[in-house]
Amino acid sequence: MFPVRRLLPLRNSFKLPPLRQSFRIGNRLPETQKRWNGSSSAEPPRPHRNVVGVFSPASAAIFVAVGTALYFYFRHEKKKSIEQREKERSSQAYGRPNIGGPFSLIKCTGSTTSEPVIFTENDLLGKWSLVYFGFTNCPDICPAELDKVTVVMNELKKSFPNIPIQPIFISVDPARDTPSQIHTYLQDFHPDYIGLVGDYQQTKSVCKAYRVYFSTPPDADPKGDYLVDHSIFVYLMDPQGKFVEAFGQSTDQHTAAEKIKELITEWISTA
Amino acid sequence: MWPFSSKTEEPKAPSRDDRQKCWEARDAYFSCLDTVGVVKAGEERSKGACTSENETYQKNCAQSWIEYFNQRRVIAEAQKDRLAQASTQAQNTTRR
């Protein structure tokens, strides 16, 4: 075995002939043994106890056995820790980006007469959220992304019927997007969609928290015909309201759904 | 203060149908431009082509959308050229 072979040269370099005998385990070296001790004597003289010290055949055997066992144990442990690190690295690349945080917006209901319902970061707690920033006059990208989230929502509901997941749309066009207008707009997409809107400052602060760029000027004309340039990401937030993952335009709906399923399963298993 | 007074007539957000109509009109207009070999919208006017397609396009899409789609068509075309150039260059270098 490997550790035994390692020991032999060491012993040779010390030039301690009596030790050789004590290390003889079994009778694997009778020929060489004979040569060392002369051919006349049949039984080599037993080395004196004091010369041998603690190195008896039994202690040597235990030493080798423990060494071998430790070697394999540490090799196994090292392999395990490397595997663990690899696994963590593949799921969480470089820690968690600091995305999200406190915000206060108005929840868009169909009614224009009742008191406005305030929606804050606390309403993200206890539920998974898919957050998207856009505006209702968006020519093609926003509706495509909202359709994508709708498909993802349907797939997730099929896989996790008992886990609450809410799709959220936050308007980056507060000058034109009124709560009832957003409410009507979202009827074209998943029925669970929650529309949120605020004034310019509230919109700016939620966009800052989510690292979203948007181009609407503070003095935009509510009746104007303009487009808003903005970042296109769907954010997955966990039931503690913390950021988990962002999906860009290039991620298709099924890839996104599969990844989210994976992340939710992982989250549940570690929670 | 928010929300805006809802007494005044509120502008309606485009619905799925509105968008679909606009996209169809745009696609019809752009394919007409393709047939006359025009990339930048408006340049076909001198040839007197695609007038009815343009009319439907103008009617079904907001002005901001029209500007956006027209601009994107020019950018996409330039990109196509550049990609084609890049691929021929790549082919030439591998041949050498």
Side-chain angles (χ1 to χ4, degrees):
Chain A
M1 215 175 271
F2 178 49
V4 179
R5 248 191 289 142
R6 230 203 221 153
L7 277 171
L8 286 169
L10 190 77
R11 246 190 314 117
N12 283 341
S13 66
F14 282 129
K15 299 265 184 263
L16 288 171
L19 263 181
R20 288 173 198 264
Q21 302 229 294
S22 66
F23 264 87
R24 188 152 63 90
I25 300 160
N27 47 4
R28 276 185 24 227
L29 308 161
E31 284 308 309
T32 45
Q33 212 64 50
K34 257 181 204 159
R35 232 191 301 135
W36 289 333
N37 294 299
S39 53
S40 55
S41 71
E43 188 66 30
R46 292 210 100 205
H48 197 269
R49 184 90 184 141
N50 289 344
V51 179
V52 176
V54 292
F55 281 101
S56 67
S59 74
I62 290 167
F63 177 74
V64 167
V66 168
T68 312
L70 280 177
Y71 170 75
F72 281 105
Y73 173 71
F74 281 119
R75 202 171 70 161
H76 173 72
E77 282 298 304
K78 193 175 176 189
K79 209 173 131 195
K80 232 169 59 179
S81 84
I82 288 171
E83 272 170 12
Q84 181 68 25
R85 223 177 304 149
E86 279 300 315
K87 221 172 126 187
E88 275 168 18
R89 201 179 305 161
S90 73
S91 64
Q92 249 181 344
Y94 300 101
R96 206 192 274 255
N98 189 16
I99 291 174
F103 65 86
S104 176
L105 297 165
I106 286 167
K107 189 173 172 178
C108 305
T109 57
S111 154
T112 49
T113 48
S114 58
E115 276 291 294
V117 182
I118 306 295
F119 191 103
T120 70
E121 75 279 4
N122 291 328
D123 293 294
L124 300 179
L125 303 180
K127 289 170 183 171
W128 289 85
S129 307
L130 286 168
V131 184
Y132 180 74
F133 292 76
F135 64 116
T136 64
N137 192 39
C138 189
D140 49 4
I141 293 167
C142 310
E145 290 298 297
L146 295 177
D147 276 337
K148 200 160 101 177
V149 172
T150 302
V151 173
V152 168
M153 278 301 295
N154 289 333
E155 284 196 26
L156 293 177
K157 290 229 153 186
K158 230 183 281 167
S159 301
F160 306 108
N162 299 318
I163 294 177
I165 306 163
Q166 54 186 3
I168 294 171
F169 172 87
I170 299 178
S171 171
V172 291
D173 187 11
R176 287 183 305 185
D177 283 349
T178 64
S180 73
Q181 194 178 321
I182 294 169
H183 179 79
T184 315
Y185 174 72
L186 291 175
Q187 301 298 306
D188 282 341
F189 306 100
H190 197 274
D192 291 355
Y193 246 112
I194 296 168
L196 302 179
V197 67
D199 60 25
Y200 181 79
Q201 275 312 320
Q202 289 168 328
T203 306
K204 204 179 158 186
S205 97
V206 71
C207 284
K208 196 177 171 193
Y210 280 82
R211 306 285 189 270
V212 166
Y213 159 79
F214 74 111
S215 67
T216 328
D219 54 352
D221 176 10
K223 289 197 180 70
D225 181 16
Y226 58 85
L227 298 185
V228 180
D229 193 16
H230 62 89
S231 323
I232 302 149
F233 282 108
V234 175
Y235 296 97
L236 175 69
M237 311 299 283
D238 72 17
Q240 290 168 349
K242 293 208 177 93
F243 171 82
V244 182
E245 185 69 276
F247 299 95
Q249 235 186 317
S250 56
T251 313
D252 72 68
Q253 49 209 30
H254 299 294
T255 313
E258 286 311 309
K259 181 74 190 165
I260 294 169
K261 281 182 207 169
E262 221 174 83
L263 291 166
I264 292 180
T265 312
E266 194 185 301
W267 196 89
I268 292 168
S269 69
T270 54
Chain B
M1 237 337 257
W2 198 264
F4 293 119
S5 151
S6 53
K7 296 280 181 293
T8 54
E9 202 185 314
E10 217 174 58
K12 214 175 110 277
S15 70
R16 191 177 287 276
D17 281 348
D18 296 336
R19 284 192 296 270
Q20 197 56 45
K21 257 188 231 160
C22 168
W23 294 344
E24 276 165 16
R26 171 201 63 188
D27 293 344
Y29 174 60
F30 282 177
S31 68
C32 177
L33 291 188
D34 286 342
T35 56
V36 293
V38 168
V39 173
K40 194 161 181 268
E43 282 176 358
E44 82 286 1
R45 241 170 279 162
S46 56
K47 301 180 183 180
C50 309
T51 41
S52 69
E53 282 87 349
N54 193 21
E55 231 168 75
T56 328
Y57 181 41
Q58 301 289 336
K59 202 176 71 195
N60 286 316
C61 301
Q63 199 53 46
S64 57
W65 291 31
I66 289 172
E67 277 166 30
Y68 165 75
F69 290 139
N70 290 354
Q71 256 175 35
R72 219 181 43 181
R73 177 178 163 84
V74 174
I75 292 165
E77 208 62 38
Q79 226 165 29
K80 222 188 283 171
D81 284 350
R82 233 168 289 147
L83 285 175
Q85 260 176 24
S87 72
T88 49
Q89 265 174 12
Q91 271 174 5
N92 288 344
T93 47
T94 47
R95 217 176 289 150
R96 246 171 246 155

